[in-house]
């Protein structure tokens, strides 16, 4: 059974080659404004002075955050990339304060690959163990700090010395994303932010997914997430259950014999999961 969405198929091809794809205009201004208000509230409520980085935000604000975690377009693509094994590793809402242009001159925020990655051993494409679906809540102008990517670095044995991790790279692409866009990155892709010199806060929203047999960083045991799990169970919604660490199909699918192409089998399983949902 082949995937039928031509746009997602083209994105998958580009993702395999480049290590990322950008979905335009996924979130509207009202949604992003609500996330910014939540960040300000979390700062006000925090016992830690000047805290900028907040995790476990689906537990902290489930009605506000669940639509982003469970975004059907992003999850359809995630299941094409990783199979129907997609789990929420962490949901992060962060702000980066501004610094002076002198401090930021010829600097990047820090080159890195993401959690569960490894340095590629060759040029063959390998399915990621995790992906990041990142949104920025303002346009990434030069002042706010664009995203920097080294295309194809998820398939190249690129390593950097300590002194090279904070400066621009000769093979980088500078990406001026718009507010509300979502960039999905392979965990092996080398990327970096750019220091913020706008005079305002640079807001960052990350939905990080991994495979369901890995540990997750966020705590899914809180009462709000447990209520999401309860409702998903009542609806027989396996995709939503998996997002929060409950994968009823894991043992069978992780020991399926692997005699079909991964993406063909994944599409069959994903379609079966959607068909099994109880409509209420």
């Amino acid at each position: 059974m082949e995937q039928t969405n031509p746009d997602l198929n083209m994105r998958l091809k580009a993702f395999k080659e480049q290590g990322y794809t950008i979905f335009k205009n996924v979130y509207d201004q009202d949604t992003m404004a609500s996330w910014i208000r939540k960040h300000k509230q979390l700062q006000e409520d925090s016992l830690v002075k000047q805290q900028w980085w907040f995790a476990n935000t689906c537990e902290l604000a489930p009605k506000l955050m669940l639509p982003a975690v469970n975004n059907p377009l992003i999850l359809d693509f995630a299941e094409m990339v990783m199979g129907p094994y997609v789990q929420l590793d962490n949901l992060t809402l962060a702000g980066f304060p501004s610094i002076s242009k002198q401090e930021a001159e010829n600097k990047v925020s820090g080159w890195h690959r993401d959690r569960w990655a490894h340095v590629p051993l060759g040029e063959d494409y390998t399915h990621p163990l995790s992906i990041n679906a990142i949104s920025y809540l303002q346009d990434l102008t030069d002042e706010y700090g664009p995203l920097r990517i080294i295309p194809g670095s998820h398939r190249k044995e690129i390593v950097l010395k300590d002194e090279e991790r904070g400066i621009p790279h000769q093979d980088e692409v500078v990406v001026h994303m718009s507010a509300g866009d979502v960039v999905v990155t392979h965990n092996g892709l080398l990327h970096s932010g750019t220091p913020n010199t706008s005079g305002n806060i640079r807001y960052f929203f990350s939905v990080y997914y991994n495979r369901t047999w890995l540990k997750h960083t966020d705590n899914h045991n809180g009462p709000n997430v447990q209520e999401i799990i309860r409702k998903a169970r009542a609806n027989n919604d396996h995709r939503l259950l998996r997002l929060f660490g409950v994968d009823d199909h894991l043992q069978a699918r992780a020991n399926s014999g692997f005699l079909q192409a991964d993406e063909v089998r994944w599409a069959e399983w994903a379609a079966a999961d959607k068909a099994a949902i109880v409509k209420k």
Side-chain angles (χ1 to χ4, degrees):
M1 181 177 182
E2 295 183 351
Q3 299 285 350
T4 57
N5 187 321
D7 177 63
L8 291 186
N9 279 319
M10 289 187 289
R11 287 184 180 279
L12 180 61
K13 181 180 179 181
F15 183 87
K16 289 179 177 180
E17 293 174 353
Q18 301 297 316
Y20 72 101
T21 186
I22 298 173
F23 292 83
K24 300 292 291 182
N25 302 314
V26 176
Y27 298 115
D28 60 27
Q29 289 294 332
D30 288 344
T31 298
M32 291 184 287
S34 68
W35 292 342
I36 291 172
R37 288 195 297 272
K38 174 53 67 173
H39 186 273
K40 292 178 179 178
Q41 179 193 332
L42 292 171
Q43 281 192 310
E44 290 171 359
D45 295 343
S46 175
L47 298 177
V48 180
K49 186 177 181 181
Q50 292 296 304
Q51 182 173 350
W52 293 98
W53 194 276
F54 295 95
N56 287 300
T57 48
C58 200
E59 175 64 32
L60 295 172
K63 290 183 180 180
L64 184 62
M65 298 303 182
L66 183 58
V69 174
N70 199 27
N71 183 298
L73 175 64
I74 302 302
L75 284 184
D76 280 350
F77 184 70
E79 289 188 340
M80 292 175 70
V81 169
M82 294 197 297
Y85 302 111
V86 180
Q87 172 180 248
L88 176 65
D89 182 280
N90 69 87
L91 177 62
T92 298
L93 178 60
F96 295 86
S98 181
I99 64 174
S100 71
K101 291 185 178 181
Q102 289 75 20
E103 291 177 279
E105 187 175 0
N106 201 40
K107 291 181 181 178
V108 305
S109 300
W111 291 107
H112 63 282
R113 294 182 169 93
D114 281 335
R115 184 175 288 128
W116 309 109
H118 60 84
V119 177
L121 300 178
E123 295 189 0
D124 291 337
Y125 173 80
T126 58
H127 302 304
L129 291 176
S130 55
I131 59 174
N132 206 352
I134 305 170
S135 306
Y136 299 92
L137 310 188
Q138 63 284 303
D139 293 345
L140 290 189
T141 61
D142 287 337
E143 290 73 26
Y144 270 107
L147 175 66
R148 295 168 182 262
I149 287 171
I150 302 179
S153 53
H154 63 310
R155 303 175 63 163
K156 297 176 182 177
E157 194 174 352
I158 299 174
V159 294
L160 299 176
K161 299 176 181 177
D162 289 347
E163 60 269 23
E164 297 174 319
R165 295 177 183 180
I167 60 175
H169 191 276
Q170 61 182 4
D171 297 326
E172 72 179 30
V173 170
V174 178
V175 183
H176 294 87
M177 288 175 58
S178 298
D181 294 350
V182 174
V183 58
V184 178
T185 58
H186 188 294
N187 67 320
L189 181 74
L190 277 167
H191 61 286
S192 173
T194 303
N196 171 22
T197 62
S198 67
N200 300 306
I201 298 170
R202 179 184 188 266
Y203 288 102
F204 166 93
F205 185 79
S206 164
V207 188
Y208 198 79
Y209 300 106
N210 66 18
R211 296 195 180 205
T212 50
W213 57 82
L214 296 171
K215 293 182 178 180
H216 45 81
T217 305
D218 278 358
N219 183 351
H220 298 333
N221 294 320
N224 291 326
V225 169
Q226 285 298 304
E227 178 62 13
I228 294 170
I229 292 172
R230 187 195 67 77
K231 291 180 178 178
R233 174 67 71 196
N235 295 332
N236 204 36
D237 189 337
H238 290 281
R239 178 151 83 169
L240 184 52
L241 285 168
R242 273 195 302 271
L243 282 172
F244 297 101
V246 181
D247 191 349
D248 297 331
H249 298 310
L250 180 60
Q251 294 304 319
R253 291 177 177 177
N255 192 28
S256 63
F258 304 102
L259 300 176
Q260 281 183 285
D262 286 342
E263 290 166 20
V264 173
R265 179 58 67 88
W266 291 348
E268 292 173 351
W269 289 337
D273 287 344
K274 289 179 181 179
I277 295 174
V278 177
K279 304 294 184 181
K280 293 187 177 180

